[in-house]
């Protein structure tokens, strides 16, 4: 007997994995377009992550919600939208300067710069995973920093996802159009992984009681 999910669609002949793949590719294209002004990149990724998360949960939000959600996120998250591209430029400049040999202690600068980049990537992506309409920036960043420290494995996976996307774009520039979807899916997967891990001890405690 055919069953129906929250989308109201008959799933008897469908493939959920293919649907998720198509949704991810579509989200990637929309996020890439919305990120062109740079300052909108983080809000667009937050909106894309929310869309992918709701898609995984079975909600059939139209893709235009990514556009409207980007506007909502930009309203309160514009400082992060400005800060992340500025920090990325600063990191790139520090790396270039250290590699020229003109900067004393270039190796130490590279190590510190790499550490800052890794922490920034983990916290920003975690924050994107926490965004919902009305969520303020500071509480989200505090919670994202806490999660990044508590779930080091998940943070490492997020950093690896960014590195993998960088390699893909380096190999074939047009693949930049899927980066937003890939990162959104990575954030959702890491969040679900952490939720499952934290739920296990709670379930065991309940059984002992």
């Amino acid at each position: 007997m055919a069953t129906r999910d929250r989308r109201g669609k008959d799933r008897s002949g469908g493939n959920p994995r293919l649907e998720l793949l198509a949704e991810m590719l579509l989200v990637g294209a929309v996020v890439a377009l919305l990120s062109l002004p740079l300052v909108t990149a983080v809000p667009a990724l937050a909106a894309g992550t929310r869309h992918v998360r709701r898609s995984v949960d079975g909600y059939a939000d139209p893709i235009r919600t990514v556009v409207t959600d980007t506007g909502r996120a930009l309203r309160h998250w514009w400082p992060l939208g400005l800060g992340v591209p500025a920090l990325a430029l600063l990191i790139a400049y520090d790396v270039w300067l250290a590699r020229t040999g003109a900067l004393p202690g270039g190796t130490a600068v590279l190590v510190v710069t790499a550490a800052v980049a890794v922490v920034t990537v983990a916290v920003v992506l975690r924050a994107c995973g926490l965004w919902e309409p009305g969520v303020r920036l500071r509480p989200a960043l505090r919670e994202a920093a806490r999660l990044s420290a508590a779930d080091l494995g998940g943070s490492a996976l997020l950093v690896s996802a960014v590195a993998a996307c960088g390699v893909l774009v380096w190999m074939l520039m047009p693949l930049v159009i899927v980066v937003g979807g890939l990162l959104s899916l990575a954030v959702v997967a890491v969040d679900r992984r952490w939720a499952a891990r934290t739920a296990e001890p709670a379930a065991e405690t309940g059984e002992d009681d």
Side-chain angles (χ1 to χ4, degrees), residues 34-167:
L34 293 174
S35 299
L36 289 177
L38 292 184
V39 69
T40 56
V42 172
L45 183 59
T49 300
R50 180 176 186 261
H51 185 86
V52 171
R53 180 171 63 248
R54 288 178 60 81
S55 180
V56 169
D57 288 338
Y59 294 99
D61 294 341
I63 194 63
R64 65 175 178 271
T65 59
V66 178
V67 180
T68 56
D69 280 349
T70 298
R72 294 173 182 173
L74 186 61
R75 191 176 308 163
H76 299 298
W77 286 36
W78 63 265
L80 191 61
L82 282 173
V84 168
L87 182 59
L89 288 174
L90 180 61
I91 288 174
Y93 176 73
D94 285 344
V95 171
W96 172 80
L97 192 61
R99 295 187 66 179
T100 62
L103 187 66
T107 302
V109 171
L110 286 175
V111 171
V112 172
T113 300
V116 170
V118 166
V119 171
T120 300
V121 165
V123 173
V124 170
L125 289 183
R126 292 276 191 180
C128 288
L130 295 171
W131 185 82
E132 288 284 347
V135 172
R136 299 283 179 166
L137 178 58
R138 289 185 179 180
L141 286 178
R142 285 196 296 267
E143 179 64 11
R146 186 192 70 79
L147 286 173
S148 297
D151 182 20
L152 293 178
S155 298
L157 289 174
L158 291 177
V159 173
S160 299
V162 171
C165 287
V167 172

